[in-house]
Amino acid sequence: MSTTTEDIKSRLNIVDIVGQYVKLQKAGSAWKANCPFHQEKTPSFNVNEERNMWHCFGCGKGGDVFAFVMEIEGLEFREALKLLAEKAGVELPEYHGSGRPAGETKDRGLEILELATKFYEKQLWESTRGQAMLVYLHDRGLTDESIRTYALGYAPDGWRFIFEFLLKRGYAAEEIERTGLVIRKTNNQQPAISNADPSQPPTSAYYDRFRDRIMFPIGDILGRPIGYSARVAPGGDESQAKYINTPETNLYHKSRALYGLALAKQSIKETGRAILVEGNMDVIALHQAGLANVVAVSGTALTAEQLGILKRYGKKLALFFDMDKAGQAAAWKSALAALALDFTVEAIALSSGKDAADMNREDPELLRVAVTGAKPAMQYFLDALLQSPDAGSQEGKRGIVERYAELLAAIDSELDRAHWTKVLALAIGAEPRVVQATVEKAFRSMQKGERFVESRPVGTFLPKTFGRRSEVLREGLVGLMLASPIAREVVMLETDTAVMDFLSLHPIFFFIRNNPSDPVAAIEDRTLQSLASDILFRTLELPSLRVVEEEREEKIAGIVGEYLRDLRSELHEKDERLELGRLIEVARQAGDKAEERRLFETFARLTRGDASQNE
Ligand SMILES: [Zn+2]
């Protein structure tokens, strides 16, 4: 890493940057928040302003401001650099990707998918069969402009169109396969049955995954295609699955992907609200009707990861699902997930048509009116439950309370929970007290089932799992060096080569020695950044470091001295043990039983001493 990154870091305040994504609260000299990278209810995510670092004791992630932006925006280092340079007002020199090799393949994958998307688009607009697809899309109410904005395409009916197109562009079969565009035939396995001409079986080991389908590219947060949702061509082989998606690849993770996000994020930010719909076609229809803050999930239930991404742009979520049983069940599930993450959840009812796309075709104004009429999800679902035919009977009422309790239990805020419990009691004409008891029971049983990530104890520094005492000492020294320039100075004066050699074996020590002014800035690898932040934040929790500023440096120098002394004797004792082992072997071969026993006792004493120090 270069002085450019140091320059950028020095101009940015990590608290400002992180604060744009998570709600930080001051706790002493630290800033804390609920971690955006794992689900939790008590904050174990820490930001240290003075050291320009962040760390989560719950999931172990951490690092500098670059690591944070990479993690939360799903960016590579180079992209994070660009983004932060802009924020800092620093001009970037030409960057000659010295990045990690994984980044390189990611870039190649993105290139492949960009080319493929253009290929599919060309097929849609220019091929004969593509014309039929356009007729269908127009029939569904989509305009040419929408079709181009969302880069819809058509995958032609054949085995090797996209594969050969990309081979000709110079990409290797393996890297094409990694994008999910093609499937590799395994031995004795016929390719999946398709409506392609069966007299033309694929001769190569690879064949196109998407054949005779309308292609909806799924983009990342910057709008670059990372995968596809592909609809079977109307008039094609309708016995095939209606939609198939790109499988999990190193670019496409269905639990993170949100269809239409790049085109929606600005509008979500402005309105504070995301509209979640069921289908890709609904996303495009709403956008066309002037509602740009709309996204969909593809082939999965709404996940906590997707909600975490949406929360960066807005805290309100409006569910706009089909009115059939499956649609409403999916809306209920999504509401549970979003309520648990403290979203303000609303629900929108379709007043006509099968889905939002239908409604748009009928009259876009209807769509806009429907969205304006969004109700709080808690009200929406209560109304729906009250519609059940036996809602008037005692039995029916009990059923409603039990069902509704599931939603109540998901609500994060106690105040809101109390409010909706009262609304429920009023609606069914029951004693609020009785309803409350039922709800609490449901709430407790949910909490029991809840998976929670236990925070790692921060009071206990250097857990035994770090292994041998010498390794514990080394970890301690690395932590102190990350925390303080004094520690770095003292350690660098160490003359015992065994100690220095042993320290050099620690992965972080390399960066401390080579970039003493800002060791963490030199680490590009995310795992190593997490390791460094973990060691640093645990060091900062050391009781002996919680002293007033003026005494701290002196205290640190003292501890470093102690650790170095211990490490010296530890390492030389190890030599001694090796030497003893050698002498024991010599005595044994010479048949000197008395000498062997004497040496062995010394050896045992040394080892016991070691073990007791570890207690
Ligand atoms: Zn975490």
Side-chain angles (χ1 to χ4, degrees):
M1 210 177 281
S2 60
T3 50
T4 314
T5 56
E6 281 167 37
D7 190 19
I8 292 169
K9 276 166 73 172
S10 70
R11 287 172 196 236
L12 296 171
N13 182 328
I14 191 163
V15 172
D16 290 344
I17 302 291
V18 174
Q20 289 171 13
Y21 299 92
V22 293
K23 204 170 147 218
L24 287 169
Q25 260 157 356
K26 187 118 191 180
S29 66
W31 294 86
K32 283 180 182 286
N34 282 335
C35 178
F37 306 120
H38 81 277
Q39 226 176 321
E40 63 175 2
K41 290 199 169 161
T42 47
S44 38
F45 178 87
N46 287 263
V47 177
N48 189 309
E49 193 169 6
E50 189 190 345
R51 307 191 190 267
N52 251 316
M53 296 273 284
W54 61 280
H55 186 71
C56 172
F57 286 107
C59 63
K61 288 185 174 151
D64 61 8
V65 69
F66 288 97
F68 181 81
V69 169
M70 285 162 75
E71 190 72 37
I72 200 147
E73 292 277 14
L75 300 178
E76 289 171 57
F77 177 74
R78 199 193 311 188
E79 297 160 340
L81 184 65
K82 226 183 276 172
L83 196 149
L84 288 174
E86 232 164 78
K87 282 191 203 273
V90 169
E91 203 146 324
L92 286 181
E94 271 307 301
Y95 188 87
H96 300 288
S98 66
R100 299 155 298 154
E104 292 303 310
T105 34
K106 195 172 167 184
D107 280 354
R108 298 274 290 182
L110 287 169
E111 267 172 36
I112 289 173
L113 292 168
E114 196 189 328
L115 275 175
T117 302
K118 293 221 172 89
F119 172 87
Y120 292 139
E121 277 193 274
K122 199 170 153 70
Q123 294 296 317
L124 176 68
W125 292 98
E126 292 173 18
S127 75
T128 320
R129 179 102 174 112
Q131 293 306 305
M133 301 302 122
L134 277 176
V135 168
Y136 164 81
L137 292 170
H138 291 151
D139 258 6
R140 290 287 278 143
L142 303 191
T143 62
D144 282 355
E145 196 196 338
S146 295
I147 294 170
R148 290 200 193 273
T149 303
Y150 283 88
L152 303 196
Y154 170 66
D157 193 1
W159 292 107
R160 303 186 50 163
F161 280 106
I162 199 67
F163 183 57
E164 274 171 5
F165 169 79
L166 289 166
L167 280 182
K168 270 189 216 126
R169 291 288 187 288
Y171 295 98
E174 295 76 24
E175 50 185 359
I176 301 170
E177 188 198 357
R178 273 199 294 275
T179 65
L181 282 170
V182 300
I183 298 171
R184 190 214 299 259
K185 218 175 13 167
T186 50
N187 280 344
N188 309 322
Q189 190 199 320
Q190 291 302 310
I193 300 157
S194 153
N195 53 338
D197 183 353
S199 67
Q200 296 278 312
T203 45
S204 114
Y206 296 90
Y207 61 97
D208 294 358
R209 179 184 302 273
F210 305 109
R211 302 175 305 276
D212 197 24
R213 283 182 180 265
I214 297 178
M215 303 298 284
F216 295 80
I218 302 171
D220 65 5
I221 200 144
L222 304 173
R224 302 171 304 185
I226 51 174
Y228 299 89
S229 175
R231 189 199 190 281
V232 69
D237 182 359
E238 305 262 3
S239 70
Q240 298 275 307
K242 192 169 173 197
Y243 279 94
I244 56 174
N245 288 337
T246 296
E248 290 287 311
T249 67
N250 65 348
L251 290 169
Y252 177 70
H253 307 284
K254 68 176 176 194
S255 63
R256 286 183 66 93
L258 284 159
Y259 183 72
L261 180 63
L263 290 164
K265 62 182 182 186
Q266 190 56 34
S267 170
I268 297 174
K269 213 168 193 171
E270 283 162 14
T271 58
R273 168 161 91 163
I275 302 174
L276 183 73
V277 293
E278 271 187 89
N280 306 337
M281 210 77 94
D282 300 327
V283 170
I284 305 174
L286 258 76
H287 199 153
Q288 201 174 292
L291 299 153
N293 52 331
V294 57
V295 294
V297 297
S298 309
T300 143
L302 184 63
T303 67
E305 276 173 291
Q306 287 158 336
L307 284 165
I309 293 168
L310 288 175
K311 211 171 193 179
R312 294 180 216 155
Y313 303 103
K315 303 251 185 298
K316 275 194 207 162
L317 183 72
L319 307 168
F320 194 3
F321 283 45
D322 297 357
M323 297 306 284
D324 59 7
K325 218 171 162 190
Q328 290 304 295
W332 178 282
K333 265 191 151 172
S334 304
L336 285 177
L339 287 168
L341 290 177
D342 210 15
F343 272 86
T344 303
V345 189
E346 299 169 325
I348 299 165
L350 268 175
S351 53
S352 78
K354 277 205 327 283
D355 53 33
D358 278 340
M359 205 164 165
N360 177 58
R361 188 177 45 179
E362 220 174 279
D363 181 1
E365 188 51 32
L366 281 179
L367 257 189
R368 288 190 285 270
V369 170
V371 170
T372 321
K375 281 187 197 172
M378 294 304 291
Q379 187 68 54
Y380 176 93
F381 288 117
L382 180 58
D383 291 349
L385 288 172
L386 292 169
Q387 294 296 311
S388 80
D390 65 343
S393 72
Q394 207 44 42
E395 189 103 333
K397 283 179 186 175
R398 200 169 59 225
I400 290 172
V401 172
E402 275 163 12
R403 288 282 287 137
Y404 197 64
E406 192 185 0
L407 283 174
L408 285 168
I411 297 181
D412 203 45
S413 146
E414 240 165 87
L415 212 63
D416 290 356
R417 202 158 55 235
H419 170 76
W420 290 108
T421 307
K422 213 188 286 168
V423 172
L424 167 66
L426 274 173
I428 59 168
E431 277 283 321
R433 204 165 30 84
V434 179
V435 173
Q436 177 74 29
T438 313
V439 168
E440 268 169 18
K441 207 170 126 197
F443 188 47
R444 272 198 303 276
S445 76
M446 274 196 73
Q447 272 186 322
K448 245 178 260 163
E450 188 189 58
R451 210 165 53 89
F452 71 101
V453 183
E454 206 178 335
S455 279
R456 283 204 253 161
V458 291
T460 56
F461 185 53
L462 305 175
K464 281 190 201 148
T465 47
F466 273 114
R468 307 192 58 82
R469 182 162 167 77
S470 50
E471 283 161 24
V472 174
L473 288 165
R474 179 171 62 187
E475 192 98 10
L477 283 167
V478 167
L480 289 164
M481 281 189 279
L482 286 172
S484 140
I486 289 280
R488 294 198 278 274
E489 275 173 40
V490 176
V491 173
M492 292 311 164
L493 292 173
E494 176 66 36
T495 50
D496 189 321
T497 52
V499 169
M500 287 314 267
D501 288 350
F502 184 68
L503 285 174
S504 306
L505 292 175
H506 195 283
I508 305 297
F509 185 77
F510 169 85
F511 297 99
I512 296 172
R513 185 159 52 187
N514 287 290
N515 200 17
S517 66
D518 188 358
V520 181
I523 308 173
E524 273 191 37
D525 182 274
R526 259 195 272 186
T527 316
L528 282 183
Q529 280 233 349
S530 292
L531 176 63
S533 73
D534 186 44
I535 295 172
L536 171 64
F537 277 76
R538 280 191 290 114
T539 305
L540 295 174
E541 294 284 336
L542 265 180
S544 49
L545 289 194
R546 288 196 215 123
V547 292
V548 284
E549 195 83 32
E550 302 87 69
E551 290 172 29
R552 201 156 71 181
E553 294 296 84
E554 198 183 328
K555 190 114 192 181
I556 288 176
I559 302 174
V560 170
E562 247 170 68
Y563 280 15
L564 282 172
R565 202 170 45 242
D566 285 0
L567 192 53
R568 257 175 252 136
S569 72
E570 189 66 28
L571 292 171
H572 294 296
E573 257 179 31
K574 199 187 261 170
D575 290 347
E576 209 175 314
R577 275 201 298 264
L578 282 176
E579 180 61 12
L580 274 170
R582 198 183 60 79
L583 290 175
I584 290 170
E585 194 50 39
V586 170
R588 186 183 323 209
Q589 287 190 3
D592 187 344
K593 290 267 179 226
E595 177 69 357
E596 189 188 337
R597 193 174 313 117
R598 192 187 65 78
L599 287 167
F600 197 79
E601 272 161 14
T602 316
F603 184 84
R605 211 165 36 243
L606 265 179
T607 312
R608 258 201 310 279
D610 181 55
S612 67
Q613 276 177 307
N614 249 337
E615 294 301 314

